[in-house]
Amino acid sequence: MADLFSEEWMQRFAEEWNKEPELAGALEKIGFTSSIAYGFDGEEKPRGILVVENGKAVTGAAFAGQEMNWDLRASQDNWSKWIQKGLGTMGLGMAYTTRKLKFNVGDYGAMIKDPRMAAPFIKSFTVMGRV
């Protein structure tokens, strides 16, 4: 298995993202376009980035200074746990309030209040488990 958030891992994540109607399909309906970076808490910069246009992942790559709309950080242990077990609404709320999941860039409050974005966000953790 490729290292979490490496170039290879991000490319496979993009492929799996696009196969999931509850993720890519749902976000396509609302014209969601964004650059989402992923990394480990305490590191200066994220490790990987996913570029999404109209719900579809068009690029999965190692982070190399690209502009981002979201920067999600957690410990490697927490990422691994969420990837293996998924993350529901309650778990997401707890992860955010206990600062196990940090949004260094992006508006968690706006995202979680919009079910058209929240449900696909939660689904993305399940999709990570397919990589």
Side-chain angles (χ1 to χ4, degrees), residues 56-125:
K56 303 285 186 200
V58 295
T59 304
F63 183 79
Q66 301 94 322
E67 280 192 43
M68 61 185 138
N69 305 101
W70 301 89
D71 180 2
L72 308 177
R73 303 295 185 95
S75 69
Q76 189 156 3
D77 287 345
N78 282 325
W79 279 121
S80 295
K81 177 176 66 175
W82 299 328
I83 288 169
Q84 289 174 7
K85 297 181 179 182
L87 189 65
T89 306
M90 291 286 288
L92 174 60
M94 285 298 293
Y96 178 73
T97 57
T98 60
R99 307 238 342 119
K100 290 181 179 177
L101 176 62
K102 296 178 182 173
F103 287 68
N104 287 356
V105 176
D107 186 351
Y108 171 81
M111 181 272 299
I112 202 67
K113 290 177 186 170
D114 185 345
R116 300 170 310 156
M117 288 179 60
F121 178 73
I122 291 167
K123 188 67 172 181
S124 72
F125 288 88

Side-chain angles (χ1 to χ4, degrees), residues 5-21 23-25 27 34 36 38 48-53 55-62 124 127-131:
F5 309 133
S6 68
E7 180 99 15
E8 180 185 348
W9 195 95
M10 293 303 297
Q11 289 170 352
R12 292 196 51 225
F13 181 40
E15 292 168 11
E16 293 300 326
W17 176 290
N18 290 335
K19 292 178 188 175
E20 179 53 61
L23 183 53
L27 292 174
S34 201
I36 309 163
Y38 300 88
I49 190 162
L50 188 72
V51 179
V52 178
E53 293 179 5
K56 303 285 186 200
V58 295
T59 304
S124 72
V127 171
M128 285 180 184
R130 298 178 193 159
V131 174

